[in-house]
Amino acid sequence: MSDDVMYASVVPCSRRDAPLRHEPVPRPVPGPDEVLVRVAAASLDRVDTYIRHGTHGMAATEPQILGRDMAGVVSAVGAGVREFRVGDEVIALGRQTHAQYALAPGLHTMPKPPQWSFAEAAALPTAGRTAYDAVVNIARVRPGERVLVVAAGGAVGSFALQFGAHLRAEVYATAGTEDKCATARAHGAHAAVNHYSPDMVEQVLAASGGAKMDVIVDPVGGALYESLLRLLARNGRIVTCGVTAGARASLHLGRLMTQGWHIHGIGRPDRHEVAAHLRGCLDLMLAAGAKPIVDRVFPLSEAPDAHRYLEESSFFGRVVLTPEPARPPR
């Protein structure tokens, strides 16, 4: 294979049965403010499955390489990049990262902590910076506050759980299985309950001694939202940072008015805000002595299996892909 070609995981178009293809594609060339990274690991996100299936308002209308988060070694830099050199180990929020090489803005690239594996580092960017913005910037969690992290086994939830614990909040969690609840408790949750239980609200209140939550971090949405509001204290804050269970929910405006709730969306930060969130997230993880939680690692050529595993929702933390030496497509 020539130096200007690489292997990537490509979705041909969005449809329910669209097969991912492991195939050769042109190697990208960095623009003036970009870095080219030889990818050592790239995390898999729910968004990748949405694009593949054409759901949640996302679709691939032509062959597309998926992925945004990666860690690896700088292979080339654009003329305007001064912070990084060829050979540097980095974390980056880029594009089309499910490949042997991928591009990222220099602004969204950071040095990889030497104590982290490439897989751990690749788990950080999108989910970590989203959780950081929700917990630190928007909810402004303070020590001693009661914080409920919904779907703590998910990508955003696993970071929000760690951040809340480090900020000395009293963290509660929900997850979809008892095994995930146990893992949440092992990572700092005061208590964890199954959010599929019909008495989920009562179980949370029993665990908290009847006290409601000062902050709720919700990456799920959908029908669960109404139950979450039953757990929100007067003047409490709820931050929506995902709609994996659906984008529609019912809200009683009279309760909103009388309870003084603060309802927030995660928003769409500009590129400089994203850079600040990335660096804040990394700094907070290092201050906590924590690492991103990686559930399982798949070879890039086995991306279809990784997608199926993600869609089964049995993971806790991040699912990661690792490119291997070039091989013929299967």
Side-chain angles (χ1 to χ4, degrees):
M1 189 168 65
S2 66
D3 290 343
D4 58 352
V5 175
M6 65 177 183
Y7 274 82
S9 180
V10 179
V11 58
C13 62
S14 294
R15 68 176 192 270
R16 181 61 59 180
D17 59 347
L20 288 168
R21 302 192 304 235
H22 186 69
E23 63 184 26
V25 297
R27 183 181 298 184
V29 176
D33 298 318
E34 293 181 317
V35 297
L36 177 66
V37 177
R38 176 167 54 82
V39 180
S43 60
L44 183 62
D45 195 88
R46 289 281 188 186
V47 169
D48 299 313
T49 66
Y50 300 158
I51 293 172
R52 196 177 97 251
H53 292 318
T55 60
H56 293 71
M58 303 175 189
T61 57
E62 59 185 23
Q64 179 176 332
I65 301 169
L66 301 174
R68 295 179 292 182
D69 300 347
M70 62 178 164
V73 179
V74 174
S75 178
V77 298
V81 176
R82 298 287 181 265
E83 299 87 352
F84 301 101
R85 297 180 179 179
V86 172
D88 287 348
E89 295 185 349
V90 296
I91 306 171
L93 176 60
R95 63 182 185 274
Q96 299 185 339
T97 62
H98 295 175
Q100 290 177 310
Y101 291 83
L103 296 173
L107 184 64
H108 296 161
T109 303
M110 305 178 293
K112 182 185 80 69
Q115 66 270 36
W116 290 9
S117 70
F118 282 111
E120 290 165 339
L124 181 78
T126 296
R129 74 106 185 145
T130 300
Y132 176 84
D133 196 23
V135 171
V136 176
N137 294 335
I138 297 174
R140 298 181 182 274
V141 169
R142 298 183 291 269
E145 288 192 308
R146 290 177 294 275
V147 176
L148 177 65
V149 175
V150 181
V156 173
S158 64
F159 281 103
L161 174 63
Q162 291 175 291
F163 293 158
H166 177 64
L167 294 171
R168 293 184 286 119
E170 188 175 295
V171 182
Y172 297 81
T174 78
T177 67
E178 179 49 43
D179 284 347
K180 288 187 179 184
C181 288
T183 304
R185 290 189 287 268
H187 282 91
H190 179 75
V193 305
N194 190 321
H195 49 231
Y196 293 118
S197 299
D199 62 343
M200 182 270 291
V201 170
E202 290 73 20
Q203 287 188 49
V204 174
L205 290 174
S208 67
K212 293 189 175 184
M213 302 293 114
D214 300 298
V215 173
I216 298 176
V217 178
D218 175 31
V220 172
L224 187 63
Y225 195 81
E226 293 176 58
S227 296
L228 298 179
L229 291 178
R230 293 169 56 196
L231 288 166
L232 192 59
R234 283 179 59 87
N235 301 313
R237 295 98 73 196
I238 183 168
V239 184
T240 293
C241 49
V243 288
T244 57
R248 300 287 182 181
S250 178
L251 174 63
H252 192 297
L253 293 179
R255 292 179 65 205
L256 172 64
M257 178 180 68
T258 58
Q259 293 297 311
W261 290 328
H262 301 262
I263 296 179
H264 303 273
I266 196 66
R268 296 284 188 186
D270 65 31
R271 62 192 188 96
H272 294 287
E273 291 171 325
V274 168
H277 299 163
L278 286 168
R279 284 155 178 77
C281 169
L282 179 58
D283 288 345
L284 189 57
M285 290 293 287
L286 294 175
K291 294 182 179 182
I293 301 169
V294 175
D295 181 278
R296 190 168 170 186
V297 178
F298 289 81
L300 178 65
S301 60
E302 297 177 11
D305 295 333
H307 276 245
R308 284 189 287 272
Y309 182 71
L310 189 77
E311 291 171 326
E312 291 169 358
S313 295
S314 57
F315 62 92
F316 195 107
R318 274 304 220 185
V319 177
V320 173
L321 300 171
T322 55
E324 60 272 273
R327 66 174 67 175
R330 328 195 281 183

